[in-house]
Amino acid sequence: MLDMLYSIFRLSLKAISANKMRAALTSLGIVIGVAAVITMLAVGSGTQKSMEERFSRFGTNILYLRQPWDLDESISSPKDVTMTDVLAIRKLPGVEAAAPYINSGFEVKYGYTSTSLDVLATDTDIFKTYDWELESGRYFNEKEVDSYAQVMVLGATAAQTIFNDMDPLDRTVVLDNIPFKVVGLMKKSGQGGMGFDMDEGALIPYTTGKVKMNAGWNSTDRRALDRVIIRVKDFNTIEDTKLDIMNTVRNTHRIHPLAADDFQLDDFASFVEEAKSASKTMGILLGVIGAVSLLVGGIGVMNIMLVSVTERTREIGIRMAIGATSADIRLQFLAEAVTLSCIGGLIGVVLGVGVSLFVGAHSTSIPVQLSFFSIVLSVGFSAATGVFFGFYPAYKASKLTPIDALRYE
């Protein structure tokens, strides 16, 4: 049995090598398809893993209070989310921390360096809410928040951009024409939150941002918050705590018992699930695109094998005349199609792995994660492509009669 398979494989390679250029062009579709499947699945898996790791740092006990993006039409005069809500929420037994959140972009200057900086105006509860760690220096304190101090805690990447390799501690930068002293430097975390990336940004006291920087006053002269970041003490009681928060905010906003909420409370766990779902969908979509490329390559294999059957009709007749059965002819042409596809598949694996490693090594914005499963899947799919698209040409060859085949010119 093994001798027969080896003989068939050797004859397949001989038939393929007889038309090297045609075989190369035919297998090119398989090569591109397999490489595309491996690369796209690697990018999809890498993106999904990166998102999951990024979100997992927050934990699932984080809540976001904000105004809804699509308010109920029945709400005639919605209230803003303000510090009044924050102070009331902090009193709840199930709440560990509640931090005000105002995110704005400003130009920051230091010496001859000028760059844009993402600034989060908040207070000391933000350090209890997110698991950020200091590289050096300190956080700003409650006294500095109460005294409108012009102090700043800087992210690692932002510090590198502004100061290069200098130590940023105790240096003064100019933010919106106001000097700020850098009192703390964060460790690089790769962690953002609802549009704010700590590595690329900076933290300043909420009071300083509200009063001295005059950013975003509303008509009632009360600074509305973008949102409130809330950390729940115990994930097991998160639903009860959410209900307490909603009742508290309804009271601070003086909402009628029968009226709709003019705020929205988001559970971070839902964001995690949505992100996972989106990344899985993207991975599937990328895999489908690669599979379509492989399908096109398979059609090319079938076309060439049909041409090969026509060109070798006389050869088929001679083989059948000296004793080859229809099954032998069918197996021979099927083996050629599978061999052609597998050779293309192996080259595609090398190309796909190489491209994935290159992208992963030279791009920080595109995470890549190669998996053994995607490689096996691609090789298996290329072999299956050879079987599927090689069957009809092989079947057609096996149906020729020896007399008609020998007569063929």
Side-chain angles (χ1 to χ4, degrees):
M1 181 66 177
L2 291 175
D3 290 340
M4 184 185 72
L5 290 175
Y6 173 74
S7 177
I8 291 173
F9 177 69
R10 185 168 55 82
L11 289 173
S12 299
L13 288 178
K14 185 177 180 180
I16 291 171
S17 61
N19 293 282
K20 294 184 179 66
M21 181 58 69
R22 186 170 71 185
L25 292 174
T26 301
S27 61
L28 185 61
I30 300 294
V31 171
I32 294 173
V34 169
V37 168
I38 291 175
T39 304
M40 290 181 176
L41 287 179
V43 171
S45 298
T47 302
Q48 181 178 343
K49 183 180 179 182
S50 175
M51 292 178 71
E52 289 178 1
E53 287 179 349
R54 187 171 181 176
F55 285 137
S56 66
R57 295 190 186 101
F58 294 110
T60 52
N61 58 339
I62 301 294
L63 302 175
Y64 292 89
L65 175 68
R66 61 175 175 83
Q67 265 201 336
W69 292 307
D70 49 345
L71 276 171
D72 193 308
E73 294 180 358
S74 64
I75 303 173
S76 57
S77 55
K79 301 288 194 309
D80 292 319
V81 175
T82 67
M83 278 301 294
T84 303
D85 300 311
V86 175
L87 296 175
I89 291 169
R90 284 177 180 171
K91 296 177 182 178
L92 296 174
V95 172
E96 182 176 343
Y101 182 113
I102 303 175
N103 190 8
S104 301
F106 295 98
E107 182 182 17
V108 61
K109 297 178 182 178
Y110 177 77
Y112 295 104
T113 302
S114 178
T115 187
S116 59
L117 186 65
D118 202 16
V119 178
L120 178 61
T122 183
D123 67 11
T124 57
D125 263 33
I126 197 70
F127 307 120
K128 304 172 190 175
T129 306
Y130 290 143
D131 297 325
W132 292 327
E133 295 182 26
L134 279 171
E135 178 69 34
S136 58
R138 61 176 179 83
Y139 300 129
F140 52 74
N141 54 47
E142 292 184 9
K143 184 178 179 180
E144 287 169 324
V145 174
D146 293 338
S147 63
Y148 307 90
Q150 293 164 204
V151 292
M152 173 187 293
V153 177
L154 201 56
T157 306
Q160 180 66 31
T161 301
I162 298 168
F163 297 102
N164 293 318
D165 295 325
M166 291 187 295
D167 185 359
L169 290 184
D170 297 325
R171 297 183 186 273
T172 299
V173 299
V174 177
L175 189 67
D176 197 31
N177 296 320
I178 298 175
F180 278 80
K181 181 181 178 181
V182 179
V183 297
L185 175 65
M186 290 288 193
K187 285 184 178 179
K188 193 172 182 64
S189 65
Q191 185 182 115
M194 299 300 290
F196 177 76
D197 187 343
M198 184 64 251
D199 291 342
E200 300 282 352
L203 305 176
I204 64 172
Y206 160 76
T207 50
T208 310
K210 171 186 172 183
V211 176
K212 294 191 177 181
M213 305 187 75
N214 196 28
W217 292 78
N218 59 22
S219 58
T220 61
D221 203 34
R222 294 175 64 203
R223 179 64 170 100
L225 304 177
D226 294 339
R227 56 183 61 89
V228 180
I229 314 299
I230 304 164
R231 189 179 190 101
V232 177
K233 289 181 179 178
D234 186 357
F235 176 73
N236 295 319
T237 62
I238 193 169
E239 292 303 322
D240 292 335
T241 305
K242 283 173 67 176
L243 186 60
D244 289 342
I245 293 170
M246 294 178 72
N247 289 333
T248 298
V249 178
R250 285 182 66 88
N251 288 333
T252 59
H253 287 202
R254 297 182 180 180
I255 299 174
H256 189 277
L258 299 180
D261 294 335
D262 62 357
F263 60 89
Q264 184 161 331
L265 187 62
D266 297 317
D267 187 338
F268 196 80
S270 64
F271 283 105
V272 174
E273 292 305 317
E274 287 177 12
K276 287 182 180 179
S277 177
S279 61
K280 285 179 182 178
T281 302
M282 185 181 72
I284 292 171
L285 179 62
L286 292 174
V288 167
I289 293 173
V292 169
S293 302
L294 200 53
L295 185 65
V296 172
I299 293 172
V301 170
M302 184 174 69
N303 288 337
I304 293 302
M305 291 307 298
L306 285 171
V307 171
S308 181
V309 168
T310 303
E311 289 180 345
R312 295 161 62 189
T313 300
R314 190 173 182 81
E315 174 193 328
I316 294 169
I318 293 172
R319 290 193 179 196
M320 297 181 80
I322 60 176
T325 64
S326 295
D328 294 332
I329 300 299
R330 186 162 55 246
L331 183 60
Q332 178 61 47
F333 278 88
L334 190 59
E336 288 182 24
V338 172
T339 301
L340 194 60
S341 296
C342 286
I343 290 173
L346 293 174
I347 296 173
V349 166
V350 174
L351 180 62
V353 170
V355 170
S356 299
L357 294 176
F358 178 82
V359 171
H362 293 83
S363 175
T364 56
S365 59
I366 305 177
V368 173
Q369 184 186 30
L370 278 168
S371 68
F372 181 72
F373 170 75
S374 66
I375 295 174
V376 172
L377 177 67
S378 300
V379 173
F381 201 70
S382 64
T385 299
V387 173
F388 183 80
F389 288 101
F391 180 79
Y392 177 70
Y395 176 78
K396 184 178 179 181
S398 68
K399 284 300 182 181
L400 293 172
T401 61
I403 296 175
D404 291 336
L406 289 169
R407 284 177 180 172
Y408 186 79
E409 293 293 338

